[in-house]
Amino acid sequence: MGFEDSIMQTIEYVKETLGNLDRSKLQLLALSSAGVGAVLCYLAWKQSPKTIPIGDGWWGAGEKPLTEDETIHKFVVKTSVEEIEDLNRRIDQTRFTEPLEDSRFNYGFNSNYLRRVVSYWRHQFDWEKQVKVINQYPHFKTKIEGIDVHFVHVRPVQKAGQTVLPLLMVHGWPGSFYEFYKIIPLLTKTDSDVVFEIICPSIPGYGYSEAPHKKGFNTLEAARIFHKLMERLGFPEFYVQGGDWGAFITSNMAQMKPECVRGLHLNMVIARTDSLGQLLSLVIGRYLPFLVGFTKEDVRRLYPYMEKNIFDILRETGYLHIQATKPDTAGCGLNDSPVGLAAYILEKFSSWTDLGNRDLEDGGLERKFSLDDLLTNVMIYWTTCSIIPSMRFYKENLKKDFKTRVDRVTSMYVPTGLAAFPDELLHCPRAWAGARFTDVRSFTYMPRGGHFAAFEEPQLMAEDIIQFVEKVESKGSK
């Protein structure tokens, strides 16, 4: 008898036992269970930490000086003829390997389609034009804990009666601040009672933010640095939004200084699934979803569980094991070959947008994105030589058991909005999310979209952020 059969037999036994009890005994059992549950929940809540340590750090080269320049400087992205000529020379020297017949994107980035992308990159893509697109919003840098932190800062078009609210938006890997370029105008000019002042930083080691010079820089360190950034900008309270690593960083910010975070909005939700209750819910939920708080949509997205949550994840996380162990080794080739870098990055924008794209000859890349936008993101990595430090972020975060880290065992107490996109790599039901996020004001089953939500579906994402913030502001965030 398998584990699942044992559970089903147990469920049938419990149903039979309960069926033999009279009404008064059932009521007493229900009240007793509720009382015990309430006491246990209260004790767990009382004993659990409400915040995580903020700490401090120094990531610059050499020893920490006595003082640090806190000036905020304007920054302009630039390019040069030499930079473009070097890129073209390297592209021209690319050696391609023929793909296997009918392999499509199941073996990675198909080289037949890669040739088309590279031809566009070499002969049609205009980096000088895209630099102007990048510079359409104001860029700045400021030194925090010894490293230059880059950020985009966009002020809103405020209408009469609108409340302006600061919103920090944090990207992940292999993305960049550029992921937010299509959602920024939807948030800085709205018909709502709220409008946003947007701050999009580059995680240190990504894009135009300086890479840490010392070991140990993880999401906790990034969260502290971004708190210092918002404090330096004069925002005592603000909203935060993130996906991928950005979801971890913004969650850490909410855990460190909940008094500063008016609300937390995430488009990637990771909850612990190693508790007995959650394991039981996985078995029961497929057959009796209402008993464990699952909806029909949860069932559709979760099952078959082994295929969607084990096998698909194994197929998509080979990169993670490399980057969490020896990032500098693989990074050497990526930092030297622009075509290798493009294949490595763009393959994620294919499969993580929709796993079904693995069965397409072109990986479905241009269904949601333009080549100009995709190659602009690649160029941010290429021109800054940031692929290796961005990969190191995995090793720094996964050196030890990630599940036992202080932030993973500490709940979130700020108002939270969760946007569950159907093609995200993992689905987290609200019933699970509630164990970690104690004040969920909004949980939305998004109709379409995957991992790069703001890049793929800016309108849907903007609407969900606005409705979440409206709920928080109408009821009060504290």
Side-chain angles (χ1 to χ4, degrees), residues 60 67 118 201 225 240-241 252 310 321 332 353-354 365 386 458 463:
T67 59
V118 170
I225 280 181
V240 292
Q241 198 288 324
N252 290 164
I310 304 298
H321 297 280
C332 285
T353 298
D354 183 344
L365 267 177
S386 58
E463 290 171 358

Side-chain angles (χ1 to χ4, degrees), residues 368-389:
K368 288 289 186 75
F369 312 109
S370 71
L371 287 181
D372 279 343
D373 283 338
L374 290 169
L375 290 171
T376 297
N377 183 64
V378 172
M379 286 295 288
I380 290 170
Y381 279 87
W382 174 255
T383 58
T384 59
C385 297
S386 58
I387 187 61
I388 292 177

Side-chain angles (χ1 to χ4, degrees), residues 269-282 294 302 305 309-310 403 408 426-429 432-433 435-436:
V269 188
I270 301 295
R272 296 186 63 144
T273 56
D274 53 357
S275 71
L276 179 59
Q278 285 173 321
L279 291 174
L280 287 173
S281 72
L282 276 177
F294 286 179
L302 276 175
Y305 184 81
N309 297 270
I310 304 298
K403 291 182 178 180
R408 299 301 294 163
L426 288 171
H427 175 64
C428 177
W432 290 357
R436 186 154 192 258

